[in-house]
Amino acid sequence: MQSDAPVFIVESAHGVRLKLTDGRELIDGMSSWWSVIHGYNHPRMNAALENQVRKVSHVMFGGLSHEPAIELTRQLLAITPAGLDSIFYSDSGSVAVEVALKMAIQYWHARGRPERRKFISLRCGYHGDTFGAMSVSDPDTGMHSLFSDALAKNVFVDRPRCRFSEACSDADIAPLAQTLEQHAPHTAALVVEPIVQGAGGMWFYSAEYLQKARALCDRHDVLLILDEIATGFGRTGKLFACEHANVAPDMMCIGKALTGGYLTLAATLTSKAVSDTIDQGEPGVFMHGPTFMANPLACTAASTSIHLLLESPWRTNIRRIERGLQQGLAPCRASASVADVRVLGAIGVVEMKQAVDMHHITRAFVNAGVWVRPFGKLVYLMPSFIISDADLAALTGAVTSVIKDL
Ligand SMILES: *Cc1c(COP(=O)(O)O)cnc(C)c1O
């Protein structure tokens, strides 16, 4: 948003390549913020959307429904963790989080416990940019310290120290355990990104931590909301990141890759216990209704994207990309300016010791023929699942050489 920031105009995009108006082509390392998992301009996606445009592009979702929404709901309930039984569609990830928070509050209201309206979340978490979502995102790394005074006051716990594939000791879980002990009587839900914290720190944490968090929520009768907006649809090597821990939430938010990056759509899934309690309480219906709820084009894109994903050898692809990222980014460890290199699934992160100069580094990447968009200390790659080994090597090679020259 800074006025002197370089902006590159994209004329078209195909597969993993972005074509700029000046004729240059860039290999995309970002999947347009986790979302374009099958690559740009996919013939099956295009055909499905063209077909749906000719039937109905939009119709209100109150009192009316349509085949794309029915089909998408059927697919999502089949692939999401057991115990999630109903789906509320909205327009963006932030709104899906707002919806989850509102549902949690309405749930406790219906149970006669309206004082349970606080939320607990993790530091370095990111859940979106609207007011409720900001109130559970890290105030510093969540990029909204400016609004702190205007936000609901929630409770934050330090991010897990135990890394992915490490055990979670009693000391690792103690901060969360103590916080729940103290705040549970006023807490509606614990809100976390499972396994991978995204935009708030690109941190991968222990599956055992998530298991212990689930057990603590059960013990204290606190709802568990998992934000799978960044991690959902295969990115971490499982269809949903919570599968690494075999943990099922009471509510789950999805978005980003849901439509393969074609259109904006998100959803909040809930257990039957949550949806039934809300329906049976006052006023008998969940109080939220987006105008463009379950837009038929967006549902068609989502449904087609899920078909494409499940038909593809996505597990093999993610393992291949994981190996490519590990090998390709390993040389960054030798750089004095690098603090840490970590890879999980199709996510590769180089954490620098100091924040990078965004404008300088963006230009350096474009000159190297790749699209990589770091923030703060984090230079990271999350390519489309269809990327070839050669293009992946070009991406990691560019990251390695640009970092070396900083
Ligand atoms: C991107 C993101 C959001 C917000 O989604 P938007 O579609 O940008 O509103 C919420 N949570 C997580 C984990 C995200 O990565």
Side-chain angles (χ1 to χ4, degrees):
M1 256 148 275
Q2 278 159 284
S3 52
D4 58 340
V7 173
F8 304 90
I9 314 287
V10 174
E11 183 188 270
S12 60
H14 200 92
V16 299
R17 284 187 161 65
L18 305 175
K19 188 168 182 206
L20 304 184
T21 42
D22 63 12
R24 284 187 286 181
E25 275 200 352
L26 306 179
I27 300 172
D28 176 28
M30 304 300 294
S31 298
S32 286
W33 283 324
W34 316 81
S35 65
V36 184
I37 55 176
H38 309 298
Y40 299 91
N41 220 333
H42 195 288
R44 284 263 304 276
M45 294 287 294
N46 294 358
L49 283 165
E50 282 162 17
N51 184 43
Q52 185 59 39
V53 163
R54 279 188 283 271
K55 289 186 189 164
V56 54
S57 295
H58 183 63
V59 65
M60 65 185 278
F61 205 59
L64 298 173
S65 187
H66 46 79
E67 190 53 35
I70 295 166
E71 168 64 7
L72 177 59
T73 300
R74 188 193 62 71
Q75 285 173 300
L76 285 173
L77 292 181
I79 62 172
T80 48
L84 295 173
D85 297 303
S86 48
I87 306 186
F88 189 95
Y89 292 105
S90 57
D91 315 329
S92 74
S94 301
V95 176
V97 171
E98 296 290 327
V99 164
L101 303 181
K102 285 177 71 174
M103 281 181 171
I105 287 175
Q106 220 178 308
Y107 167 85
W108 286 111
H109 222 275
R111 278 189 56 184
R113 302 288 304 278
E115 74 283 5
R116 277 193 174 249
R117 58 190 151 75
K118 292 278 173 203
F119 295 94
I120 299 175
S121 61
L122 299 179
R123 291 210 175 269
C124 299
Y126 176 77
H127 299 285
D129 291 339
T130 49
F131 273 82
M134 280 197 288
S135 79
V136 291
S137 300
D138 188 292
D140 304 316
T141 68
M143 302 161 269
H144 63 254
S145 47
L146 178 68
F147 303 100
S148 293
D149 289 345
L151 298 179
K153 295 278 174 273
N154 289 314
V155 181
F156 291 91
V157 177
D158 279 346
R159 77 174 182 187
R161 279 173 306 178
C162 40
R163 291 175 178 248
F164 185 75
S165 81
E166 287 179 358
C168 171
S169 69
D170 289 348
D172 290 327
I173 198 70
L176 181 62
Q178 283 157 10
T179 302
L180 275 162
E181 193 72 48
Q182 188 186 344
H183 293 280
H186 298 279
T187 298
L190 170 69
V191 189
V192 300
E193 295 156 278
I195 306 296
V196 173
Q197 291 188 296
M202 302 298 287
W203 180 247
F204 313 147
Y205 68 88
S206 164
E208 203 187 339
Y209 182 96
L210 193 59
Q211 288 166 348
K212 290 188 171 174
R214 171 77 269 183
L216 284 168
C217 286
D218 290 341
R219 181 176 333 143
H220 293 285
D221 202 10
V222 161
L223 295 171
L224 176 62
I225 301 174
L226 292 185
D227 179 349
E228 291 259 10
I229 292 166
T231 47
F233 303 100
R235 178 63 59 181
T236 68
K238 301 279 187 190
L239 217 38
F240 297 95
C242 60
E243 294 170 26
H244 287 285
N246 250 321
V247 155
D250 301 293
M251 285 188 241
M252 184 167 109
C253 302
I254 53 176
K256 288 199 162 105
L258 171 61
T259 63
Y262 261 67
L263 285 161
T264 177
L265 180 70
T268 309
L269 292 91
T270 68
S271 68
K272 197 164 159 38
V274 170
S275 57
D276 283 357
T277 304
I278 290 172
D279 291 346
Q280 285 152 18
E282 284 292 317
V285 55
F286 175 56
M287 298 306 285
H288 198 99
T291 304
F292 284 95
M293 187 174 196
N295 170 263
L297 291 175
C299 288
T300 298
S303 174
T304 310
S305 174
I306 294 170
H307 275 298
L308 282 174
L309 182 67
L310 298 182
E311 285 165 18
S312 74
W314 64 272
R315 281 191 185 80
T316 315
N317 267 336
I318 301 292
R319 270 198 297 273
R320 175 180 63 82
I321 294 168
E322 184 170 50
R323 275 194 304 273
L325 289 169
Q326 271 157 356
Q327 283 164 13
L329 296 176
C332 295
R333 292 205 172 88
S335 201
S337 54
V338 169
D340 188 41
V341 177
R342 46 188 183 262
V343 173
L344 177 61
I347 315 167
V349 182
V350 181
E351 183 169 339
M352 311 298 291
K353 288 179 182 155
Q354 266 155 27
V356 298
D357 175 343
M358 273 272 282
H359 300 178
H360 170 81
I361 201 167
T362 303
R363 279 207 183 80
F365 280 128
V366 168
N367 291 337
V370 301
W371 182 245
V372 182
R373 181 126 174 117
F375 65 86
K377 296 176 181 174
L378 301 163
V379 181
Y380 58 99
L381 296 172
M382 43 205 189
S384 157
F385 300 172
I386 56 134
I387 193 166
S388 70
D389 288 339
D391 286 343
L392 185 58
L395 277 177
T396 55
V399 168
T400 309
S401 72
V402 165
I403 281 175
K404 203 171 75 206
D405 294 343
L406 281 181

